[in-house]
Amino acid sequence: MKYDVILSGVGGQGVLSVGAVVALGAMKDGLEVKQSEVHGMAQRGGAVVAHLRISDKPIASDLIGRGTASVILSMEPLESLRYLDYLADGGILITSSEPLRNIPDYPDIEVILSRIEALPRYRVVEASALAKEAGSSKTKNMVMLGAASLHLPVKPESLRDAIREIFTVKGEKIVDINLKAFNLGREK
Amino acid sequence: MSEMVLLGDEAVALGAVHAGISAAYAYPGTPSTEITEYIMAYSRRNGGRPLASWCSNEKTACEEALGASFVGKRALVSMKHVGLNVAADPFINAALLDINGGIVVAVADDPGMHSSQNEQDSRFYVDLAKVICLEPRNQQEAYEMTREAFDLSERFRIPVMVRLVTRLAHSRAVVRVGEPLEERLLHKAEDRKSWTLLPAYARRRFKVLLDKQRELHAFTEGSAHNRISLSSDFDEYGVITTGIAENYYMENIQELSYRPSHLHIGAYPIPEGKVRRLADCVKRLVILEEGYPFVEKYLRGIIPPQIQVDGKLNGRVGITGELDPDNTRGVLGLKERRGGAAVPGSLPGRPPQLCAGCPHTDTYNALRDALSGYSESIVTSDIGCYTLGALPPHNIIETCVCMGASIGMAKGAAEAGFYPVVAAIGDSTFLHSGITPLVDASVSDVNMTVIIMDNSTVAMTGGQQTVIPSEKLRKLIEGIGVDPEHIREIIPLEKNRRINTQILREEIEHRGLSVILAVRECVEIRRRK
Ligand code: SF4
């Protein structure tokens, strides 16, 4: 089994936290993981991408090859298209529906969504509403992870354990809100 | 043995901790910052041991580690590749010393320039210093090689480099870790002559270093990090990989109908014997290495001239940017891989930008207003978040070269006769390398204006503490001779724009050196508090 995921979004949207949770969850399931991410300058509101690889066998490369990703999971619709050439035939694109317009030439959102809807497999998630329902708009990333968890080879309980472990330093309440966001994303 | 998910940087950090280091010294720099951050967090949980601290710059960090080595303790120094330019003096000279406590220099190169101004390859410094370099290809090796590097440093009595690249530094995987070692006891170096590089002593020490080369070569020749596998039925070409380039090779070889002979290099100096053995059984060599064509250049001196070498020098592999599973295919004779869908051609880019409410934006706005009355002006700048002032909507800074260069360049431009000249530099960058050029400018009261954008943190790399707090900056600047009347302070906020513009204007008009402290905390750091 080999499972490659492109995680994308804008610096500050919590792309790296999603990666860290999946990596830890996969480890709890006894799987091999590699997760490559970009720190530094790009995190200042720029396009951010992380490559996440999960397998039951040792993984060589930290980076995914073009046309081989099972999933593109994006926190932002424009960013979901930026790495489309990584998606394998039969792969699925999962993105949040709300645009983050921090550039002057942000395209018409309808055009972006129609591009996404032209793909054979896609899912557009109303992440903001669900995050608010969970208790904080900052948990959009965990809503998206919840939605993607239906397509990941990692047990949901392992992902929940990973969320607990990673957010525990921020306190009980933050853990609970993030778990709720994950569950909402998974169920709705 | 326990298992953990670690970034490559964190694996280096834990390897160093488990090797019994007493201290970790560094200046923050992407992609190396997480090494020291990890040790700091470890230290907090562990009663303050080992010591981990941010230093003024990479040179001071390296020297502090040398002091620890002098008294028998193990120490780790970490930095990004360009930091090694700053630390090159102690690093190269350290090779001549009789290293006592193990000293490991972890350097993270940034091919592809994700967060850097160049993609220089640190292995050239290893060659220059004539020491050992270990180059891990995954997180597990990052952990193990760092541990081993300390042993090698003490065994050969030289500093040892661990070379990382961004993709390993910032990639997470499961690492199986071993038993930690205790810290070393204090044990001062016995022979002071081996630590005093007076010419007469240094000549002797250089001879010692040259004599060691045979042992170093013997070590890398025998090291399991340099693995060779020869193919008995395929001689068209053989492959040399180094570091993480092997991963991309592995990713692709399933698609080959043959198995080429292969040498992987993880320990330098280059194992010449193994290279020759490989060259003996192939007609052509393919070289995959992350960074500059370092091995590739070196090869020409050791393999027969009729063997063709395919790599970065003849363009079969791209000479700039990072390697990846795709751009390593062509040279192996594999076709380009096609994805399910093409990226729409019209997507706008999304470059990084200053955070909403960033103090630098307000400083730049006031500066733009202050300079609007001059037909021409120069704004030199430096390295940090504020370098984004080069991009729209700011479009205000005109240079960014290396840490501290804004001040030196402003002085040069002003002395060449240009007016007005402004240097814009961050507080941490100023402390790293801006003080010395400001001393130069102060000595002759050069007609220029320096703006120190003091956000009281090292923001770009994630908000590390600056070595000295902001309140002390003014005293420091007065102390190096800048006229106190021309050290002014502004608080960069939109509501202060008019007054800030006026102050800037007055100091630009002052025919001599002025320093403006633009003081307001980074909003990102404030948010986290
Ligand atoms: S991190 Fe701080 S200094 Fe950097 S852009 Fe954001 S507010 Fe400005």
Side-chain angles (χ1 to χ4, degrees):
Chain A
M1 182 271 289
K2 174 189 87 74
Y3 219 82
D4 289 340
V5 183
I6 296 279
L7 295 168
S8 61
V10 179
Q13 283 192 316
V15 174
L16 304 189
S17 307
V18 171
V21 169
V22 182
L24 187 58
M27 191 192 88
K28 289 179 186 295
D29 282 356
L31 297 169
E32 297 280 335
V33 253
K34 279 211 169 186
Q35 186 226 326
S36 172
E37 52 198 39
V38 171
H39 297 195
M41 199 164 241
Q43 280 173 284
R44 301 272 159 274
V48 171
V49 63
H51 290 210
L52 176 68
R53 314 194 67 196
I54 305 170
S55 175
D56 52 6
K57 288 184 216 60
I59 303 164
S61 164
D62 299 88
L63 294 177
I64 297 169
R66 290 210 170 70
T68 64
S70 316
V71 178
I72 291 178
L73 172 57
S74 183
M75 307 298 128
E76 207 278 344
L78 170 62
E79 296 311 315
S80 76
L81 294 177
R82 206 179 290 285
Y83 312 96
L84 214 47
D85 54 340
Y86 281 89
L87 198 61
D89 290 328
I92 181 166
L93 182 150
I94 306 172
T95 182
S96 142
S97 59
E98 296 85 1
L100 194 158
R101 294 190 178 90
N102 67 347
I103 43 172
D105 47 352
Y106 197 97
D108 182 354
I109 182 66
E110 293 310 320
V111 174
I112 293 179
L113 290 175
S114 65
R115 267 268 161 60
I116 293 169
E117 284 156 13
L119 292 169
R121 293 183 68 210
Y122 69 90
R123 180 147 176 234
V124 178
V125 183
E126 304 285 336
S128 277
L130 294 175
K132 277 197 203 99
E133 190 180 333
S136 162
S137 58
K138 283 191 196 152
T139 60
K140 251 175 78 172
N141 60 342
M142 290 301 129
V143 171
M144 292 309 299
L145 174 60
S149 67
L150 299 164
H151 304 273
L152 294 175
V154 184
K155 294 198 191 88
E157 210 33 57
S158 308
L159 292 171
R160 290 191 190 99
D161 281 347
I163 291 174
R164 282 185 199 103
E165 210 169 308
I166 286 174
F167 290 102
T168 183
V169 289
K170 299 192 175 167
E172 189 96 357
K173 193 160 164 241
I174 302 286
V175 171
D176 288 344
I177 294 178
N178 278 287
L179 283 172
K180 191 164 174 207
F182 174 86
N183 292 335
L184 285 171
R186 190 170 163 86
E187 286 149 20
K188 298 218 174 160
Chain B
M1 276 261 200
S2 60
E3 290 192 347
M4 313 170 77
V5 176
L6 296 176
L7 287 175
D9 273 349
E10 296 171 341
V12 166
L14 196 59
V17 169
H18 287 177
I21 55 164
S22 297
Y25 296 112
Y27 182 81
T30 314
S32 69
T33 314
E34 291 79 3
I35 299 175
T36 310
E37 287 188 326
Y38 188 88
I39 302 176
M40 285 177 164
Y42 182 98
S43 176
R44 278 195 292 274
R45 295 191 305 267
N46 192 48
R49 301 304 300 172
L51 175 87
S53 72
W54 297 122
C55 308
S56 288
N57 61 41
E58 295 83 357
K59 177 175 185 287
T60 63
C62 192
E63 290 155 350
E64 289 160 35
L66 278 176
S69 169
F70 187 60
V71 297
K73 299 277 192 171
R74 289 184 161 187
L76 177 75
V77 197
S78 29
M79 60 193 71
K80 66 184 295 174
H81 58 340
V82 286
L84 186 54
N85 297 332
V86 180
D89 209 351
F91 175 70
I92 291 171
N93 289 318
L96 271 69
L97 304 175
D98 186 34
I99 290 301
N100 186 19
I103 176 165
V104 171
V105 183
V107 186
D109 288 357
D110 190 16
M113 296 185 243
H114 293 281
S115 223
S116 308
Q117 68 271 46
N118 76 25
E119 41 183 67
Q120 67 182 59
D121 187 325
S122 299
R123 294 175 299 171
F124 285 92
Y125 275 110
V126 173
D127 193 46
L128 196 57
K130 303 188 182 303
V131 295
I132 290 176
C133 169
L134 300 181
E135 186 180 12
R137 75 199 149 103
N138 55 35
Q139 294 75 358
Q140 185 66 37
E141 280 194 358
Y143 172 80
E144 288 166 9
M145 282 181 165
T146 306
R147 287 191 74 145
E148 182 184 351
F150 281 98
D151 296 338
L152 294 172
S153 172
E154 287 171 6
R155 173 168 152 208
F156 295 111
R157 308 188 75 82
I158 49 170
V160 172
M161 180 188 289
V162 172
R163 181 207 187 211
L164 300 171
V165 291
T166 308
R167 283 301 164 189
L168 177 55
H170 286 168
S171 173
R172 251 173 256 280
V174 175
V175 176
R176 290 154 194 95
V177 304
E179 287 303 313
L181 300 178
E182 290 291 317
E183 282 187 32
R184 292 282 195 262
L185 298 176
L186 274 178
H187 171 72
K188 188 183 152 191
E190 274 147 28
D191 177 20
R192 66 174 74 168
K193 286 185 191 160
S194 319
W195 282 78
T196 309
L197 298 176
L198 270 173
Y201 298 164
R203 277 180 213 116
R204 217 178 300 152
R205 293 302 309 168
F206 188 46
K207 171 91 170 44
V208 171
L209 178 62
L210 293 177
D211 290 345
K212 267 181 211 173
Q213 296 305 304
R214 191 175 310 176
E215 290 168 58
L216 303 189
H217 277 100
F219 160 72
T220 56
E221 208 63 65
S223 167
H225 302 312
N226 297 330
R227 281 174 283 111
I228 186 166
S229 62
L230 298 177
S231 160
S232 51
D233 53 4
F234 180 79
D235 69 352
E236 275 311 307
Y237 70 86
V239 178
I240 298 180
T241 56
T242 78
I244 69 164
E246 184 182 46
N247 302 337
Y248 305 133
Y249 175 58
M250 288 303 168
E251 218 42 58
N252 284 313
I253 54 170
Q254 299 95 300
E255 293 176 46
L256 298 175
S257 52
Y258 43 84
R259 224 8 90 87
S261 295
H262 174 210
L263 168 63
H264 176 73
I265 300 178
Y268 307 79
I270 292 169
E272 296 178 9
K274 283 181 174 160
V275 170
R276 281 197 198 93
R277 269 175 62 206
L278 176 69
D280 278 348
C281 22
V282 297
K283 297 182 192 140
R284 183 160 65 87
L285 278 173
V286 168
I287 318 293
L288 295 174
E289 56 188 323
E290 193 70 287
Y292 283 11
F294 173 75
V295 170
E296 195 177 335
K297 274 202 163 144
Y298 197 95
L299 280 187
R300 275 298 165 214
I302 46 182
I303 61 167
Q306 66 273 18
I307 294 184
Q308 183 182 325
V309 178
D310 283 345
K312 301 189 174 195
L313 290 174
N314 71 352
R316 292 299 313 277
V317 180
I319 197 160
T320 59
E322 291 182 286
L323 297 180
D324 64 32
D326 293 303
N327 64 17
T328 43
R329 290 172 68 83
V331 71
L332 299 171
L334 292 170
K335 278 218 273 310
E336 202 180 318
R337 231 182 326 231
R338 292 232 167 260
V343 179
S346 55
L347 291 189
R350 192 181 315 245
Q353 45 192 270
L354 295 174
C355 305
C358 175
H360 301 326
T361 303
D362 294 307
T363 303
Y364 284 154
N365 287 342
L367 179 60
R368 188 176 309 101
D369 292 352
L371 289 171
S372 63
Y374 301 92
S375 61
E376 258 200 312
S377 60
I378 289 179
V379 181
T380 61
S381 193
D382 234 291
I383 294 174
C385 288
Y386 51 88
T387 317
L388 296 171
L391 307 179
H394 315 286
N395 294 319
I396 187 158
I397 67 160
E398 297 168 272
T399 73
C400 162
V401 181
C402 61
M403 298 286 280
S406 59
I407 301 181
M409 287 178 67
K411 175 175 186 271
E415 288 183 328
F418 202 95
Y419 171 84
V421 182
V422 177
I425 185 170
D427 53 336
S428 183
T429 307
F430 175 69
L431 294 169
H432 178 291
S433 287
I435 301 173
T436 40
L438 189 63
V439 171
D440 290 353
S442 157
V443 168
S444 38
D445 197 23
V446 176
N447 186 15
M448 59 189 259
T449 305
V450 176
I451 305 176
I452 300 178
M453 296 180 283
D454 179 2
N455 57 4
S456 29
T457 186
V458 194
M460 180 95 253
T461 48
Q464 292 74 26
Q465 206 164 9
T466 44
V467 278
I468 61 173
S470 309
E471 312 85 74
K472 297 199 172 158
L473 273 182
R474 175 180 270 272
K475 278 209 172 127
L476 181 126
I477 295 158
E478 280 177 13
I480 58 181
V482 179
D483 180 354
E485 275 194 23
H486 294 287
I487 305 174
R488 310 278 298 269
E489 197 168 309
I490 62 172
I491 299 172
L493 280 169
E494 179 58 26
K495 67 170 189 203
N496 297 344
R497 185 160 172 173
R498 289 229 347 245
I499 175 78
N500 290 348
T501 302
Q502 191 188 325
I503 293 172
L504 282 164
R505 192 64 185 254
E506 281 166 22
E507 294 310 323
I508 291 166
E509 279 299 310
H510 165 62
R511 301 301 158 123
L513 176 63
S514 307
V515 177
I516 306 218
L517 295 162
V519 189
R520 182 156 73 82
E521 195 178 29
C522 156
V523 293
E524 181 66 20
I525 299 309
R526 164 164 281 197
R527 198 172 56 84
R528 263 191 251 163
K529 278 184 182 165

